[in-house]
Amino acid sequence: AQSVTQPDIHITVSEGASLELRCNYSYGATPYLFWYVQSPGQGLQLLLKYFSGDTLVQGIKGFEAEFKRSQSSFNLRKPSVHWSDAAEYFCAVGASNDYKLSFGAGTTVTVRA
Amino acid sequence: EADIYQTPRYLVIGTGKKITLECSQTMGHDKMYWYQQDPGMELHLIHYSYGVNSTEKGDLSSESTVSRIRTEHFPLTLESARPSHTSQYLCASTDRGGSPLHFGNGTRLTVT
């Protein structure tokens, strides 16, 4: 069974500083990996996805993520955080032969001025 | 801009009432899902459907039921609401395996 671990429950970062959110997955084959963002009172919005190919993927809002098979990781990064990036971030894993995604518990990001 | 719509956004209801949470999508997706989300917890899949007249229970046991009579519509029903049902319910859809899920804005349910 596939599973996702997000080790950091809460991260506080200063505006303009860099951000990295960790995601580790467990899956037997090559996974499909996703990062979603959820603002308060909203549903989840897709930031980026990895299926295959280049292990560094670019997403919306200036985010990128790197797939590292050897570490079973798919960490999300942003070079310079804006106050509007304060939200909850979820990592998810799926597969081409499975229509369901497994989600991590999420990381809440607080941005201080 | 959401192509998947959930109503109501917020619902406060007393114990024992029957409720239906609505979910509709305009993308023609075959696959639809209901997730339950509590603060600080991962999203738990409670129901899913791969097409009309097809419904399955998810990984988290739930007292709710679902139906899929039309492709675009996937309502969730609680016959008798209890305080333990207080949570946020998210509806999602996709068109094929491995593709991202599209989410609605959720229904936040409070049972008093």
Side-chain angles (χ1 to χ4, degrees):
Chain A
Q2 57 208 34
S3 66
V4 176
T5 301
Q6 294 181 245
D8 304 306
I9 297 173
H10 190 194
I11 287 179
T12 298
V13 61
S14 298
E15 192 169 14
S18 63
L19 174 68
E20 181 167 14
L21 304 182
R22 296 183 291 165
C23 172
N24 295 99
Y25 67 89
S26 173
Y27 187 66
T30 299
Y32 287 17
L33 294 159
F34 308 87
W35 274 101
Y36 286 86
V37 60
Q38 184 181 34
S39 299
Q42 302 296 315
L44 276 68
Q45 179 185 19
L46 180 70
L47 282 175
L48 48 78
K49 59 183 184 278
Y50 172 79
F51 290 167
S52 64
D54 193 348
T55 57
L56 184 65
V57 294
Q58 302 297 321
I60 63 171
K61 305 187 181 194
F63 284 93
E64 66 178 25
E66 186 172 14
F67 171 60
K68 292 186 177 180
R69 184 189 302 275
S70 61
Q71 298 177 18
S72 297
S73 69
F74 188 56
N75 294 349
L76 181 72
R77 299 193 293 256
K78 185 168 184 177
S80 178
V81 169
H82 187 261
W83 64 266
S84 60
D85 294 322
E88 189 157 19
Y89 293 79
F90 291 91
C91 182
V93 63
S96 62
N97 60 351
D98 189 348
Y99 302 122
K100 294 177 282 182
L101 297 187
S102 294
F103 287 83
T107 298
T108 300
V109 173
T110 298
V111 180
R112 59 180 175 224
Chain B
E1 183 177 349
D3 295 310
I4 182 164
Y5 306 95
Q6 290 187 244
T7 57
R9 288 294 309 277
Y10 303 93
L11 180 61
V12 180
I13 201 161
T15 298
K17 299 293 186 182
K18 177 180 178 180
I19 60 169
T20 296
L21 308 184
E22 301 289 347
C23 176
S24 294
Q25 49 96 5
T26 59
M27 297 171 283
H29 288 169
D30 286 332
K31 286 78 178 171
M32 296 189 73
Y33 310 81
W34 277 102
Y35 284 87
Q36 185 172 337
Q37 183 184 25
D38 295 306
M41 305 290 289
E42 62 261 42
L43 279 69
H44 289 290
L45 181 66
I46 53 175
H47 297 284
Y48 60 99
S49 167
Y50 291 164
V52 171
N53 295 326
S54 158
T55 61
E56 301 287 343
K57 289 189 179 295
D59 306 321
L60 180 68
S61 176
S62 174
E63 294 167 345
S64 57
T65 59
V66 292
S67 62
R68 190 88 184 275
I69 298 173
R70 304 196 313 269
T71 298
E72 63 272 21
H73 194 215
F74 191 41
L76 181 146
T77 298
L78 276 166
E79 291 292 334
S80 180
R82 294 208 299 266
S84 60
H85 297 139
T86 294
S87 188
Q88 172 151 261
Y89 294 84
L90 293 169
C91 183
S93 72
T94 190
D95 56 350
R96 59 186 183 276
S99 288
L101 299 184
H102 297 259
F103 282 87
N105 284 331
T107 293
R108 182 163 294 282
L109 173 66
T110 302
V111 183
T112 60

